[in-house]
């Protein structure tokens, strides 16, 4: 979301918006109607799905929840579209060795309940989220911090309740000590898992997830489950991305086709994605309100390595299945040129992206595909299925991929549809995937480690497939131990070049934002992670 927002799974073709400065351009810049009279207190609506979990910052690993959480909470930093760090709640984040970081906060920040945002607000929130007793899906994001293994040991009882690497210096200063140096660690601090929490949260965390109190540009109003979430502008917000509107209505849709019809009739204002069947006509329908731009996400299909079918599979079988997929034809026809065939695992626009890995496994070649599958011992049962969420517009391309595989190599392939993204994710979390699953991942921070370490490390929270490889884990450790960010990026590039040997997943294509907005709004722009920048949307006077 949409995925992965950091761990953000993509439910459809986009995920959470970054900060105020991280806006994309493209045709969705709202510039064509800049003279319209604006209602600064007007609210607008956006298409989403039901979040998988309560709205707790460390409990969101998919885009339907992430887009709401990002509206309600602000982190220490963000990054602009060039990959430059931008300070948000932090005044500065300094380090001399990439291992110990000193964070100084901007003064005057308050939570939506009026209480101050302090160093303790961050440190206490991170310790709470890291504690396995609190069952936060993104708790592993704190694993780099010294003392995490004492709080959340792999086995046995916890030795501590707090990470020793976090120290409050004063109300506006705290330090972060890592287990080992990580040259790109500041980028990670822009992910919502590193948000602060108010003291009121700890009285009843479950209730706080239903009615969150954050420090972001919007404050929570209501949540009518599977129908709508409403947030309102927080007028005392101190960040750089103050809302230019009165609030947002996150309207729940189980069908992109229905959302598009509502957009045309003015019943929803902003879409994150157009359904495949509407792609041929949406630009004609919407004119300059149609959006078509690239963003940093990649679509793959991943084997459930914990199943009997894939547990001890020879990677040659997966290489063969990859070469049985006619990516150019599917992206051109079924997806109407709204995707670009992938040539690797790291999305475009990310630091460390490389256009070629020096392999032919992404090339459509039925003869070579048959040969590889045969050399690898064949597909167990000679049949596969691809799990996907029915509310994300995936049915058509899943069927096309299946048809391509069956025609090319004779392996029976079917779609395994789940009702919605929440059901899809729940099946993955419960390790109930029968064969393969659709896995879309969008950047959490613009560095290639996010698409490699956070998905394919044995212990990484984004690793839902059960993939595990000692060489890859060693290469991850070596890349993280690099002395400079540039050196780390290059080591991760070398790691990516090794992935074709192991095939942790099968990359399909890079995403694009194909979306649109209604005549009721202007100033609509989409960020590098594919979601609209909510704070920049302006509502026209009626």
């Amino acid at each position: 979301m949409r995925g992965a927002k950091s761990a953000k799974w993509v439910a459809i073709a986009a995920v959470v918006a970054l900060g105020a400065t991280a806006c994309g351009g493209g045709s969705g810049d709202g510039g064509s109607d800049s003279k319209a009279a604006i209602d600064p207190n007007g609210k607008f609506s956006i298409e989403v799905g039901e979040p998988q979990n309560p709205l707790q910052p460390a409990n969101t690993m998919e885009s339907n929840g992430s887009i709401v959480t990002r509206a309600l909470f602000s982190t220490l930093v963000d990054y602009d579209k060039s990959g430059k760090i931008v300070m948000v709640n932090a005044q500065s984040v300094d380090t001399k060795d990439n291992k110990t970081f000193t964070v100084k906060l901007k003064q005057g920040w308050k939570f939506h309940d009026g209480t101050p945002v302090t160093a303790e607000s961050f440190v206490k929130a991170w310790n709470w989220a890291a504690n396995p007793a609190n069952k936060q899906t993104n708790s592993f994001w704190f694993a780099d911090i010294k003392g995490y293994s004492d709080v959340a040991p792999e086995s046995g009882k916890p030795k501590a309740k707090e990470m020793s690497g976090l120290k409050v210096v004063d109300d506006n200063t705290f330090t972060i000590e890592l287990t080992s140096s990580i040259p790109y660690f500041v980028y990670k601090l822009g992910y919502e898992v590193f948000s602060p929490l108010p003291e009121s949260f700890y009285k009843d965390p479950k209730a706080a997830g239903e009615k969150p109190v954050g420090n972001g540009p919007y404050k929570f109003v209501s949540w009518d489950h599977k129908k709508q979430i409403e947030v309102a502008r927080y007028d005392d917000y101190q960040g750089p991305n103050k809302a230019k509107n009165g609030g947002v209505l996150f309207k729940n849709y189980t069908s992109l086709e229905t959302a598009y019809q509502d957009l045309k009739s003015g019943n929803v204002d902003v879409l994150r994605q157009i359904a495949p069947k509407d792609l041929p006509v949406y630009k004609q329908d919407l004119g300059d309100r149609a959006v078509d731009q690239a963003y940093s996400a990649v679509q793959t299909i991943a084997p459930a390595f914990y199943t009997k079918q894939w547990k001890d599979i020879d990677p040659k079988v997966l290489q063969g299945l990859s070469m049985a997929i006619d990516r150019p034809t599917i992206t051109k026809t079924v997806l109407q040129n709204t995707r670009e065939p992938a040539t690797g695992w790291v999305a475009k626009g990310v630091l460390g992206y490389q256009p070629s890995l020096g392999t032919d496994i992404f090339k459509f070649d039925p003869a070579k595909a048959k040969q590889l599958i045969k050399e690898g011992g064949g597909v167990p049962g000679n049949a596969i299925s691809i799990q996907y969420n029915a509310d994300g517009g995936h049915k058509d391309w899943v069927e096309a991929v299946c048809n391509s595989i069956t025609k090319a190599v004779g392996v029976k392939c079917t779609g395994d549809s789940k009702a919605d993204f929440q059901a899809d994710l729940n099946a993955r979390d419960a390790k109930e995937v029968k064969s393969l699953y659709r896995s879309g991942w969008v950047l959490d921070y613009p560095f290639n480690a996010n698409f490699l370490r956070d998905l394919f490390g044995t212990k990484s929270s984004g690793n839902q497939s059960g993939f595990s490889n000692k060489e890859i884990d060693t290469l991850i450790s070596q890349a993280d131990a690099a002395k400079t960010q540039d050196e780390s990026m290059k080591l991760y590039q070398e790691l990516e070049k090794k992935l074709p040997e192991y095939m942790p997943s099968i990359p399909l294509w890079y995403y694009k934002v194909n979306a649109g907005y209604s005549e009721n709004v202007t100033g609509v722009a989409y960020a590098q992670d594919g979601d609209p920048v909510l704070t920049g949307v302006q509502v026209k006077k009626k």
Side-chain angles (χ1 to χ4, degrees):
M1 41 227 253
R2 303 179 77 88
K5 238 192 127 269
S6 217
K8 246 160 350 256
W9 296 113
V10 190
I12 45 183
V15 161
V16 193
L18 300 175
T21 56
C23 28
S27 55
D29 61 6
S32 62
D33 196 17
S34 58
K35 296 182 180 179
I38 301 301
D39 177 3
N41 297 314
K43 290 190 175 184
F44 71 96
S45 57
I46 181 172
E47 156 271 320
V48 296
E50 176 75 0
Q52 182 189 20
N53 297 315
L55 297 173
Q56 301 160 324
N59 206 19
T60 302
M61 197 188 287
E62 44 75 40
S63 55
N64 290 328
S66 240
I67 192 170
V68 183
T69 304
R70 286 291 261 190
L72 297 171
F73 292 87
S74 284
T75 49
L76 295 168
V77 304
D78 209 331
Y79 11 81
D80 63 22
K81 58 185 178 182
S82 69
K84 181 182 178 181
I85 293 291
V86 176
M87 295 295 146
V88 183
N89 206 152
Q91 181 68 43
S92 61
V93 181
D94 296 320
T95 183
K96 295 180 180 179
D97 58 4
N98 292 321
K99 185 178 180 181
T100 300
F101 298 79
T102 299
V103 179
K104 291 189 177 295
L105 302 179
K106 293 176 181 176
Q107 298 188 31
W109 275 63
K110 292 183 179 181
F111 288 104
H112 302 151
D113 60 4
T115 59
V117 178
T118 65
E120 179 71 14
S121 306
F122 284 91
V123 169
K124 187 173 182 178
W126 299 2
N127 278 316
W128 183 89
N131 189 329
N134 296 321
K135 299 178 179 179
Q136 297 294 283
T137 58
N138 279 337
S139 63
F140 184 76
W141 273 71
F142 301 99
D144 298 317
I145 299 174
K146 184 179 179 181
Y148 175 82
S149 59
D150 292 330
V151 173
E154 292 183 37
S155 60
K157 294 183 179 180
K159 298 178 182 178
K161 292 184 179 180
E162 298 179 350
M163 292 178 281
S164 59
L166 296 177
K167 303 287 186 184
V168 173
V169 177
D170 56 44
D171 280 353
N172 294 305
T173 312
F174 67 100
T175 59
I176 308 166
E177 183 181 356
L178 307 183
T179 304
S180 58
S181 61
I182 297 179
Y184 57 87
F185 182 73
V186 176
Y187 278 102
K188 301 184 74 170
L189 295 176
Y191 180 44
E192 59 260 37
V193 69
F194 292 104
S195 298
L197 292 171
E199 280 300 311
S200 60
F201 174 90
Y202 306 101
K203 297 176 183 177
D204 191 340
K206 184 178 180 181
E210 294 293 320
K211 296 180 179 180
V213 174
N215 66 322
Y218 296 97
K219 59 184 179 181
F220 178 83
V221 176
S222 63
W223 185 358
D224 189 355
H225 282 276
K226 295 195 173 181
K227 292 183 180 180
Q228 179 175 285
I229 297 173
E230 181 177 356
V231 301
R233 182 183 61 232
Y234 179 50
D235 288 327
D236 292 330
Y237 180 63
Q238 300 295 313
N241 53 329
K242 286 201 171 198
K244 296 180 180 179
N245 51 71
V248 188
L249 304 173
F250 299 92
K251 296 182 69 172
N252 188 269
Y253 285 92
T254 57
S255 163
L256 291 181
E257 290 83 359
T258 302
Y260 184 63
Q261 292 304 315
D262 271 7
L263 178 71
K264 291 196 296 182
S265 59
N267 292 322
V268 67
D269 294 313
V270 179
L271 296 191
R272 298 178 298 170
Q273 195 64 28
I274 302 293
K277 87 173 192 63
D278 296 313
L279 289 173
V281 299
Y282 87 104
K283 290 183 181 179
Q284 181 178 342
D285 289 347
L286 302 179
D288 62 4
R289 293 182 287 109
V291 177
D292 180 359
Q293 70 179 59
Y295 77 101
S296 299
V298 62
Q299 178 79 79
T300 69
I301 49 177
F305 288 103
Y306 50 79
T307 62
K308 184 178 180 180
Q309 182 176 39
W310 303 115
K311 191 171 185 179
D312 298 308
I313 199 70
D314 187 323
K316 285 186 176 180
V317 174
L318 296 169
Q319 292 172 352
L321 289 175
S322 177
M323 297 189 76
I325 301 170
D326 189 353
R327 295 170 180 79
T329 297
I330 295 171
T331 53
K332 182 178 180 180
T333 57
V334 178
L335 295 170
Q336 297 288 314
N337 290 315
T338 61
R339 306 289 186 275
E340 181 180 346
T343 55
W345 282 265
V346 175
K348 284 190 165 187
V350 172
L351 296 174
Y353 162 78
Q354 42 196 346
S356 174
L357 303 183
T359 177
D360 62 357
I361 64 163
F362 305 109
K363 180 182 178 182
F364 179 57
D365 188 336
K368 184 71 177 293
K370 287 180 182 179
Q371 177 188 334
L372 285 167
I373 291 173
K374 184 178 180 180
E375 290 176 0
V379 174
N382 203 44
I384 60 175
S385 62
I386 302 173
Q387 177 178 300
Y388 67 94
N389 51 304
D391 62 341
H394 301 296
K395 182 175 183 290
D396 292 346
W397 73 253
V398 168
E399 289 180 350
V401 167
C402 276
N403 290 338
S404 182
I405 290 172
T406 300
K407 186 176 180 180
V409 296
V411 174
K412 183 179 179 182
C413 181
T414 56
D416 180 9
S417 174
K418 300 301 177 185
D420 52 32
F421 195 37
Q422 187 177 35
D424 175 33
L425 291 171
N426 288 340
R428 296 193 220 171
D429 290 344
K431 298 191 181 304
E432 294 174 349
V433 177
K434 298 170 185 174
S435 182
L436 301 108
Y437 61 92
R438 177 204 73 83
S439 175
W441 189 263
V442 67
L443 90 167
D444 302 304
Y445 51 96
F447 196 78
N448 56 357
N450 183 223
F451 287 80
L452 302 172
R453 178 194 202 244
D454 296 327
L455 284 177
F456 306 132
T458 296
K459 300 175 184 178
S460 297
S461 57
N463 185 343
Q464 295 181 317
S465 69
F467 174 79
S468 180
N469 182 273
K470 290 183 179 179
E471 182 182 11
I472 295 302
D473 287 340
T474 298
L475 292 173
I476 287 172
S477 297
Q478 291 173 353
D480 284 352
K483 293 182 179 180
T484 67
Q485 181 181 301
D486 188 59
E487 183 184 347
S488 179
M489 178 192 73
K490 289 177 180 177
L491 287 172
Y492 271 112
Q493 288 180 322
E494 292 304 310
L495 183 158
E496 187 184 13
K497 290 177 181 177
K498 297 287 291 185
L499 291 186
E501 298 178 23
Y502 303 112
M503 295 301 292
S505 63
I506 300 174
L508 296 178
W509 38 74
Y510 304 118
Y511 275 97
K512 291 177 70 178
V513 179
N514 297 99
Y517 51 95
S518 76
E519 295 177 342
N520 301 324
V521 293
T522 187
V524 182
Y526 288 73
Q528 189 182 358
D529 63 356
D531 262 5
V533 182
L534 304 179
T535 53
V537 177
Q538 294 179 294
V539 181
K540 298 177 186 177
K541 285 186 177 179
K542 296 180 179 179

